[in-house]
Amino acid sequence: MSTRVAENVSALELADYQKAVRLVLRHPLITSVYPDVGALATVRRWAEQLRTDLMEVLGYRLITTADTARLQRAQDQLDPTRPALSRSGRPFDRRRYAYLALTLAALGRHGAQVALGELADAVAADAARIDGLGLDTGRKHDRDAFVDAVSWLTERGALRLADGSAASWVSDPERAEALYDIDREVLTAVHQPTRVLQHVTSVTALLDSAGARSLSEGRRAQRLSASRRARRLVLEHPVAYYADADPELTGQLRAPALAEDLTRLTGLTVERRAEGIALVDTSGRLSDTRFPGGGTVAQAALLLGARISEAAARTGRHAPELLPAPSAAERLADRAGRIDLALPAQGVFEQAATDREDTGKEAEGENEASAAPEVRYPFVTSSWLRARTKEITEQYGAGFAADLRGDPDRLLDQALDLLAAMSLVVRVAGGVLALPLLARYRGVTAEVKARPRVRTTQSPGSPGSTDSPEAEAPDALFPADDVKDSAQ
């Protein structure tokens, strides 16, 4: 099902319009200061066309005000790859997420300004009523976590520092203070739930995929829902594998209209292969994570991925065992179960356990109803991965960060998390499964330069070959010599 994307945009202005699309897709909240001072003006110029296209193509709702642009995504899966980040760049843990939610609630009870110490006391009072949380302003660990939440809001313009220093308050709250102006409009845009959260009994209730498959919809509405889900799948993930999609979604993924719509909307290229389809972003204009990339974890992941790919390609008596990957429904049920463990056991949430059981049963029913030929992937064990990580650390450790060089198990865990986030492997009990996209990085070599960094390259002549230490994204996502283009 094709749509008329950017129909009121001239060829001369199309690049500017696509820039606005990429801005709002990469930054669902845009303010006068976030992500930069020019972003809001760029989006507001194209607001009407953006609202039309984002809804028609993706089912996303764009809400604009004088000082904000807020994109409300339709979420089909639980995506662990877009965490909030602390001041040091580390993903938020549960404590920081809890402080962020409580800070938003506390700010709603204050006027135009608030002192950091006063805000901390308000959050501490609320946190004390939650078992296992708490906020002790006498502990630097708790103050750091709280200020990470405040800084996240400050970066987006919901709070503006008027006087003092948050860093000084963290170091010595008895002698230092910080005063913030509160921007009500931005604060409202930050938190715009699409559900009544008090009635949510499982995290799966926040997803839109169930509604998209409603049998009460007419056939045309069902096709429109399926086309939007397919486009979201390609846009939001490094690759959409046909083996993971239900039959109706697979048909939409293979349709020429999908590539036409996404290319026209984003300015990026859609690449098709036998195993799936991907939106290629070689410049990093839309991607929130670049791979290959710089840094110890990214470089180790690239080197480890090359070794996994080589092992997966072995034949004969050394060929790896082939195992089926968990289905998308199974992965959803597993993630939902772990998230729902944090729900209160009493009150309106008391049905959460029952809902989790029902979700699992529905997932099993979907698997039976849409049974497709089982696809199996090469399996490598955890012990094999630890041995390869040790080899990589011994050979290239001079270019790695000292803390990770001294903790290979943590380095392995973070490298596998990155490979899984990029849809290169699936983590399973006892090891990982190598997915088709991983073959793209087979032939990677590396050398340690004089400066403390590992320089990774791909073998001469391989697609996307680069000798940059900050390896650029490849110009092709699947190994052209290993798969046949599905369009042929």
Side-chain angles (χ1 to χ4, degrees):
M1 178 175 287
S2 181
T3 57
R4 300 178 66 182
V5 178
E7 63 178 338
N8 295 321
V9 181
S10 70
L12 291 176
E13 295 181 309
L14 184 59
D16 287 337
Y17 173 69
Q18 291 168 340
K19 178 182 177 181
V21 171
R22 294 191 298 268
L23 265 173
V24 79
L25 287 175
R26 184 164 182 172
H27 304 286
L29 173 63
I30 295 176
T31 69
S32 59
V33 297
Y34 183 83
D36 57 61
V37 294
L40 184 61
T42 300
V43 172
R44 284 181 56 80
R45 177 192 175 195
W46 298 104
E48 184 176 350
Q49 187 67 51
L50 284 169
R51 275 193 290 271
T52 299
D53 287 344
L54 291 171
M55 174 56 70
E56 287 297 317
V57 178
L58 301 166
Y60 292 172
R61 186 181 304 277
L62 179 65
I63 301 172
T64 57
T65 66
D67 297 318
T68 65
R70 186 67 163 96
L71 183 67
Q72 290 186 333
R73 281 190 168 99
Q75 198 76 15
D76 301 306
Q77 302 178 20
L78 299 177
D79 186 357
T81 66
R82 298 187 184 91
L85 298 178
S86 69
R87 291 166 292 160
S88 62
R90 295 182 180 275
F92 270 28
D93 53 18
R94 285 194 171 192
R95 178 176 296 275
R96 283 167 171 77
Y97 278 120
Y99 288 166
L100 177 59
L102 294 178
T103 299
L104 284 166
L107 287 171
R109 303 191 294 267
H110 284 80
Q113 287 188 321
V114 63
L116 186 59
E118 179 186 2
L119 182 59
D121 289 340
V123 172
D126 291 338
R129 294 193 288 269
I130 301 175
D131 292 341
L133 183 58
L135 169 57
D136 183 355
T137 56
R139 297 179 58 205
K140 187 175 184 301
H141 176 75
D142 285 7
R143 295 197 301 272
D144 273 325
F146 168 67
V147 170
D148 277 339
V150 171
S151 297
W152 189 92
L153 291 170
T154 304
E155 182 182 8
R156 285 152 182 80
L159 295 172
R160 285 191 296 271
L161 184 65
D163 192 21
S165 166
S168 298
W169 181 86
V170 169
S171 299
D172 190 351
E174 297 297 326
R175 296 187 177 184
E177 186 57 278
L179 181 67
Y180 289 91
D181 295 325
I182 302 173
D183 190 316
R184 292 287 165 198
E185 188 168 316
V186 176
L187 200 64
T188 300
V190 168
H191 183 59
Q192 290 193 344
T194 57
R195 307 287 192 278
V196 179
L197 297 184
Q198 290 86 342
H199 298 158
V200 169
T201 57
S202 171
V203 69
T204 55
L206 301 176
L207 302 179
D208 291 75
S209 54
R213 293 191 294 266
S214 174
L215 295 179
S216 63
E217 293 180 329
R219 188 58 194 163
R220 187 180 184 283
Q222 289 183 23
R223 287 199 303 271
L224 178 59
S225 293
S227 71
R228 287 172 173 171
R229 285 194 292 132
R231 285 153 177 74
R232 294 196 294 260
L233 184 62
V234 175
L235 177 74
E236 300 285 1
H237 299 274
V239 59
Y241 290 114
Y242 298 136
D244 285 341
D246 59 70
E248 185 177 22
L249 209 57
T250 300
Q252 291 290 341
L253 290 172
R254 294 183 183 276
L258 180 144
E260 295 169 5
D261 288 348
L262 289 181
T263 296
R264 174 80 175 173
L265 183 68
T266 66
L268 305 182
T269 302
V270 172
E271 183 177 332
R272 296 182 186 274
R273 296 288 174 173
E275 298 91 348
I277 179 173
L279 190 64
V280 183
D281 182 17
T282 58
S283 66
R285 294 172 295 181
L286 179 60
S287 305
D288 52 357
T289 302
R290 300 290 302 276
F291 189 84
T296 296
V297 173
Q299 298 290 355
L302 181 59
L303 294 166
L304 181 61
R307 285 159 172 76
I308 297 172
S309 181
E310 290 165 1
R314 291 174 184 162
T315 58
R317 58 191 297 244
H318 297 294
E321 183 180 5
L322 299 179
L323 298 177
S327 69
E330 290 169 335
R331 293 196 296 270
L332 171 61
D334 177 64
R335 286 174 182 164
R338 287 185 280 118
I339 294 172
D340 288 347
L341 289 175
L343 287 171
Q346 303 297 325
V348 298
F349 298 113
E350 61 187 2
Q351 296 299 319
T354 302
D355 289 347
R356 286 197 297 273
E357 292 174 3
D358 292 343
T359 299
K361 291 176 182 177
E362 290 173 5
E364 292 174 6
E366 290 175 9
N367 288 340
E368 293 174 2
S370 59
E374 187 178 64
V375 179
R376 292 174 172 262
Y377 303 99
F379 172 72
V380 294
T381 66
S382 297
S383 59
W384 184 92
L385 291 166
R386 283 193 294 270
R388 301 294 81 73
T389 303
K390 182 179 179 182
E391 292 174 359
I392 291 171
T393 303
E394 290 174 350
Q395 188 172 0
Y396 305 110
F400 289 171
D403 59 331
L404 290 171
R405 183 173 64 241
D407 191 350
D409 287 342
R410 183 158 69 97
L411 177 59
L412 172 60
D413 187 58
Q414 292 185 17
L416 291 179
D417 280 346
L418 178 56
L419 292 174
M422 300 306 298
S423 300
L424 299 169
V425 303
V426 174
R427 302 191 70 169
V428 295
V432 301
L433 302 178
L435 298 181
L437 181 55
L438 187 62
R440 169 67 183 77
Y441 302 99
R442 193 177 297 152
V444 167
T445 59
E447 59 180 318
V448 180
K449 295 296 184 181
R451 56 183 175 177
R453 172 177 284 174
V454 172
R455 192 174 202 172
T456 55
T457 67
Q458 289 180 287
S459 57
S462 63
S465 179
T466 174
D467 61 359
S468 168
E470 297 282 341
E472 296 296 328
D475 56 7
L477 289 179
F478 301 89
D481 55 343
D482 286 354
V483 296
K484 183 170 62 177
D485 195 323
S486 61
Q488 295 178 352

